[in-house]
Amino acid sequence: MTTTQVVNPATEQVVSTVELVGAAETDAAIERAQRAGADWRAVAPGDRARLLRRFAEAVDANLEQLAQLEVANAGHTIGNARWEAGNVRDVLHFAAGIPERLLGNQIPVAGGVDITFHEPLGVVGVIVPWNFPMPIAAWGFGPALAAGNTVVLKPAELTPLTAIRLGELALEAGVPEGVFQVLPGKGSVVGQRFVTHPAVRKVVFTGSTEVGKEIMAGCARQVKRVTLELGGKSANIVFADADLARAAATAPYGVFDNAGQDCCARSRILVQRSVFDRFLELLEPAVHGVRVGDPSDESTEMGPLISAAHRDRVASFVEPSTKVAFTGAQPDGPGFWYPPTVVLPDAPSDRVLTEEVFGPVVAVVPFEDEADALRIANDTEYGLSGSIWTNDVGRALRVSRGVEAGNLSVNSHSSVRYWTPFGGYKQSGLGRELGPDAALAFTETKNVFIAT
Ligand code: NAD
């Protein structure tokens, strides 16, 4: 049995050692999930709902423990980690409303009755990245279980601890053996087996666009269903008519939250040229004000990066020739720290404008007018998120409709609510999670005609 050491990114201390699942054990788990599926889909809707509610209550009762685990494993600030554990609880409560509301249609036809059913797919494989280990896992397993599927879940190699605990809590809550299994292991072993094993009928993958493309190509061989949540390069567009003080005060939190390791990070700030200099003047104190440090301290706003290798990758975006406008704070001592950094790129082709940094580096770029703002915002292969700051409601709506991205916010930086849909345009992904239709992504629509 191979093991991996889980490291606290704020202290570089080993937190625990986790056994990694291999190929044979993955196959055995998938077969267990397949066998458990027959009973799980037959559980009465009200009983399945009750089990999901109990699971949600178990998460709530262990919220602080889950949050502390994430602080230690992923370096998330304690405030964020509590929100994340609470999000798992809420996703499960929302999912608990699904079994009794998975309504089909009755469609008028001649000579009989036509009805549709939303049938479960079977075994669903969920592959999770390290940046938001708890919520991203729940967005997959919550609705999948609610719709009558069984789930095998692979957490990221670096961050398995909260997923393992969630697996235990499901069992404690009474979710039957084999219905929800957590398999810590390598992407190339466990994740790949989800793609190749014929009993896995859908893969939900959240991670890099590069790996997402491989997953999609692999799934194509079996016409396996796939939901992809991939990278982002989102724009925060600030018009001259906006509340500039608020736009500048909040911009750091739209990109530096979770140390920028957020697929929705607004990593390009586009500012109308007439207010560009004024915006930078207002942004500087806001960036200096971001409290970077010990993630277990209640007042901390930004923690470390996930690993030394990732910090090196983030640092590579700020080259000796890069124009750095200003940087924020960074603690001394151990930990994989990188300060909030604001850069002014020379050209649209600069890597910092075209590639996802996935760290606390933001590029600020001027634009001329509404059309120019849209052109720059859409000049990317990504399309996940974005913000629009303006006091003109017509412009807010025009630009919201014009930006090619799945999740936009006006005069704020919110992206995720468990009851609204979430997902990307273009190479940011395929399909949607969360929202009123979340469960439909885990079903096949079956049409039945009955002659009368
Ligand atoms: P990653 O692609 O390296 O890994 C993601 C997961 O896939 C991990 O569990 C990994 O073990 C697994 N994996 C790796 N190779 C695999 C393979 N060949 N087959 C099957 N599974 C494999 O991504 P990461 O570095 O963990 O996460 C960062 C990326 O995730 C960023 O690009 C970020 O934008 C993206 N992300 C997207 C969203 C979204 O909702 N759109 C949310 C969070 C993160």
Side-chain angles (χ1 to χ4, degrees), residues 193-213:
R193 202 60 192 125
F194 293 179
V195 173
T196 56
H197 198 301
V200 177
R201 293 294 169 79
K202 171 158 188 163
V203 172
V204 179
F205 171 82
T206 305
S208 58
T209 296
E210 193 189 350
V211 176
K213 287 176 186 175

Side-chain angles (χ1 to χ4, degrees), residues 7 121 138 205 333 344 374 402 433 447:
V7 173
L121 301 172
F205 171 82
L344 304 172
L374 276 178
E433 296 188 287
N447 189 70

